[in-house]
Amino acid sequence: MLILNNATKEYDDVIVFKGLSHSIEKGKIYSLLGPSGCGKTTILRILAELEKPSKGNIDLQGQRVSYIFQEPRLLPWETVRKNLELVCPKKEIKKINEILELMELKDYSNAYPKELSGGMKQRVAIMRAFLYPHEILLMDEPFQALDLKLKTKLIKEIYNLHQSMKNTILFVTHDLDEALLLGDEILILSPKPAKIVKKFTINIPQAERKPDDMQFIKEEITRLLNHAPI
């Protein structure tokens, strides 16, 4: 599926990317890594049609998109449960209790966002994105407000939800370990104007992945991100 077709994005005199084309395979998880400010979030926003490319186009073939932003963006006047019910189809309402328990937030279903910690609010935002009907899920650094233990748990749970839904995920992160733990493919972007300089395919089953066991890949990706020759 060709999602970006010769797409260019410019802001005044700044070229974020130029003539960028890329295809993805349905049902896979793609991790996007690149230097700060290279345009990773801009790519997601264009795919979500929150922005338009300056030239070229996108083609999602009619597939619906859900989005996890860097910040939770919950409705402050609604409870956790109501924030979830507002996006969940009525026939799927029973899933809310299941996912609240999965995310260890069942006891907070009637709480308001102001009563939750930053990490808890982000977990609600993740739940909401999965409950919203979609085929493509865009995730923009969704784990940055979470501690290491919870982050590791959520990566596993997100992968399990992905396996049951067979959705396609594009995941922006600056954390190499996150990218390796979750992604089926790692896409490395260059500085602006961004282009995809290399792709890594991870064939290790997700349940067996340990960043320390993928040291060679980590070193190679780190060299790319630091613009050193391989």
Side-chain angles (χ1 to χ4, degrees):
M1 178 171 59
L2 184 67
I3 57 170
L4 292 169
N5 184 13
N6 200 31
T8 294
K9 183 63 179 179
E10 301 173 342
Y11 296 105
D12 297 325
D13 295 330
V14 177
I15 301 174
V16 182
F17 49 83
K18 184 176 182 180
L20 185 62
S21 296
H22 192 68
S23 298
I24 60 172
E25 185 178 334
K26 293 179 181 180
K28 279 190 148 185
I29 301 177
Y30 293 84
S31 298
L32 278 67
L33 280 168
S36 179
C38 74
K40 300 184 294 295
T41 294
T42 301
I43 290 173
L44 293 194
R45 289 181 61 82
I46 286 174
L47 293 175
E49 298 185 297
L50 298 175
E51 296 187 34
K52 293 181 179 180
S54 305
K55 299 177 183 176
N57 57 67
I58 64 171
D59 183 8
L60 302 181
Q61 299 179 12
Q63 296 194 88
R64 297 167 295 180
V65 171
S66 188
Y67 201 133
I68 302 174
F69 295 89
Q70 291 182 15
E71 64 284 345
R73 300 195 181 189
L74 303 178
L75 298 178
W77 57 86
E78 299 289 5
T79 64
V80 167
R81 178 176 292 278
K82 191 64 176 179
N83 267 279
L84 300 177
E85 287 178 349
L86 287 171
V87 303
C88 185
K90 290 184 178 180
K91 63 181 180 180
E92 304 288 345
I93 286 292
K94 63 181 182 181
K95 285 186 177 180
I96 291 178
N97 284 338
E98 297 173 11
I99 201 167
L100 279 168
E101 189 163 353
L102 185 69
M103 293 290 188
E104 299 181 1
L105 286 173
K106 190 174 181 180
D107 292 340
Y108 295 88
S109 64
N110 293 317
Y112 289 88
K114 67 180 181 180
E115 301 172 298
L116 306 178
S117 68
M120 292 165 75
K121 284 187 278 192
Q122 189 65 357
R123 282 147 69 190
V124 177
I126 290 170
M127 288 188 282
R128 182 180 58 185
F130 269 94
L131 288 168
Y132 181 79
H134 68 279
E135 289 78 40
I136 297 176
L137 176 62
L138 307 175
M139 305 199 306
D140 192 358
E141 300 195 34
F143 308 120
Q144 62 178 354
L146 308 179
D147 60 51
L148 180 61
K149 182 178 179 181
L150 181 56
K151 180 192 300 186
T152 302
K153 173 181 170 57
L154 283 185
I155 285 173
K156 291 180 179 178
E157 300 301 351
I158 283 176
Y159 187 82
N160 290 337
L161 286 168
H162 158 74
Q163 288 294 97
S164 65
M165 294 178 64
K166 302 301 181 185
N167 58 347
T168 305
I169 297 178
L170 277 78
F171 166 43
V172 162
T173 180
H174 66 278
D175 188 303
L176 182 48
D177 286 348
E178 290 177 8
L180 290 169
L181 287 171
L182 190 56
D184 297 313
E185 292 195 359
I186 315 295
L187 305 178
I188 309 300
L189 277 70
S190 71
K192 292 194 289 278
K195 61 181 180 179
I196 297 171
V197 294
K198 194 157 186 177
K199 177 178 73 174
F200 295 85
T201 300
I202 310 298
N203 294 315
I204 303 170
Q206 199 278 336
E208 299 174 15
R209 294 184 196 178
K210 297 178 181 178
D212 290 344
D213 295 339
M214 295 184 276
Q215 195 61 34
F216 175 77
I217 297 176
K218 289 178 69 173
E219 290 174 359
E220 191 173 357
I221 292 175
T222 299
R223 284 194 292 268
L224 274 172
L225 293 173
N226 291 333
H227 324 306
I230 295 177

